[in-house]
Amino acid sequence: MKFLFVGAPAVGKGTQAKKLAQALGVPHISTGDILRECAKQTTDLGQKVKKFIDLVSLVPDEVMMSIIEERFRKGDTQKGYILDGFPRTTAQAMGLDMLLARLNQAITLVLLFECPDAVIMERIIERRSCPKCGTPYHLRWQKPKVDGVCDKDGTPLVQRVDDTRTKVFHRLDQYRSETAAVIPHYEKRGLVRRVNANQPPDDVYRDVEAVVKKG
Ligand code: AP5
């Protein structure tokens, strides 16, 4: 039950990861959520991370590896986890290989979520998120019960700084030039399963469950 969720920005990884993690009773480890939380701190690391997030740049690999290693030290990852948004570069994939070898763990499957750019664009522009728990909403497809407020904790919803039309182009380029290279790393081992993310969330989840069941 050790899954990696890979895909372009706003393809729906977080939406699906939260649901599957809850169903399996394993932690959902989103590096985006961890970094956004870290960027709120006044520490040197927090301020460094904030700079990268504001610039919509990838956080350096060595910083990411120490964040992931610290997250694994929490001790709740033995039974399984969903890693969402990590690894995002080949160097991170190799770093994760070494970390898992040390822990005597192996990745079960890599779920690759696929969706056309035009759909991704629309999802990003219409996304609102809870700054407290990270739950994503969509102004049309996944509305909160009360306008502008998180269903889970009542926190006012916000639009992320990287969710603007101009920044989406940059994020898509970054995905193609850096993150897509991670896919062959796992394809060579026969671990990649493609999921059609261009359908309503419940239909995507049905496919996710089927992939996980089949192995
Ligand atoms: P991160 O938060 O990981 O951003 P991302 O990969 O761009 O992914 P998103 O969170 O944007 O989207 P998602 O795929 O989870 O989609 P969601 O479910 O929300 O990272 C942010 C930044 O942190 C990066 O740019 C980078 O700077 C840094 N970072 C993170 N990890 C890093 C790493 N490993 N190394 C270096 N830097 C790193 O859905 C999107 C919207 O669509 C929502 O509104 C949702 O409600 C809606 N939606 C979802 N599914 C559907 C559906 N099926 N139909 C209709 N609407 C849907």
Side-chain angles (χ1 to χ4, degrees):
M1 295 213 292
K2 299 178 173 76
F3 300 107
L4 305 186
F5 277 23
V6 178
V11 74
K13 304 178 294 293
T15 301
Q16 300 300 327
K18 278 187 173 58
K19 207 167 169 179
L20 185 66
Q22 202 173 9
L24 298 177
V26 298
H28 166 214
I29 303 175
S30 154
T31 46
D33 288 349
I34 293 174
L35 292 171
R36 278 184 288 278
E37 208 40 55
C38 181
K40 290 180 195 161
Q41 316 297 321
T42 51
T43 57
D44 285 353
L45 177 65
Q47 291 312 294
K48 188 174 178 181
V49 165
K50 185 174 183 318
K51 244 190 262 170
F52 286 101
I53 299 255
D54 288 349
L55 289 169
V56 196
S57 292
L58 290 185
V59 172
D61 293 330
E62 64 278 11
V63 176
M64 284 316 303
M65 281 318 303
S66 61
I67 286 175
I68 283 293
E69 291 196 16
E70 192 184 321
R71 179 60 189 81
F72 270 73
R73 276 196 286 273
K74 262 195 175 179
D76 59 350
T77 52
Q78 270 314 108
K79 186 179 154 203
Y81 42 80
I82 299 175
L83 264 180
D84 164 11
F86 183 92
R88 239 177 171 96
T89 64
T90 315
Q92 290 179 15
M94 294 195 302
L96 181 63
D97 286 348
M98 285 194 273
L99 172 65
L100 296 183
R102 272 204 318 271
L103 297 172
N104 205 17
Q105 293 186 8
I107 294 299
T108 313
L109 285 180
V110 178
L111 274 66
L112 172 60
F113 293 83
E114 297 180 313
C115 200
D117 284 1
V119 176
I120 284 176
M121 184 71 82
E122 192 269 346
R123 285 186 187 173
I124 285 194
I125 307 289
E126 304 267 335
R127 171 165 54 187
R128 297 295 179 274
S129 321
C130 174
K132 193 170 173 196
C133 69
T135 301
Y137 296 88
H138 187 282
L139 294 180
R140 269 190 283 169
W141 313 122
Q142 286 178 298
K143 286 183 176 184
K145 288 182 189 125
V146 178
D147 266 0
V149 170
C150 179
D151 292 347
K152 293 186 182 153
D153 51 36
T155 306
L157 302 179
V158 296
Q159 183 168 29
R160 274 170 41 180
V161 287
D162 52 350
D163 279 355
T164 62
R165 197 174 289 275
T166 40
K167 287 179 176 166
V168 179
F169 289 115
H170 175 63
R171 287 166 70 192
L172 284 168
D173 280 350
Q174 203 173 54
Y175 173 72
R176 292 202 180 90
S177 60
E178 308 258 5
T179 308
V182 162
I183 300 158
H185 183 85
Y186 294 104
E187 248 166 0
K188 278 187 275 187
R189 302 181 203 167
L191 292 178
V192 177
R193 303 289 180 274
R194 286 163 201 272
V195 176
N196 173 15
N198 189 17
Q199 9 172 25
D202 288 346
D203 295 350
V204 180
Y205 188 67
R206 185 203 54 218
D207 290 358
V208 166
E209 277 187 316
V211 159
V212 165
K213 215 178 217 174
K214 195 168 171 217

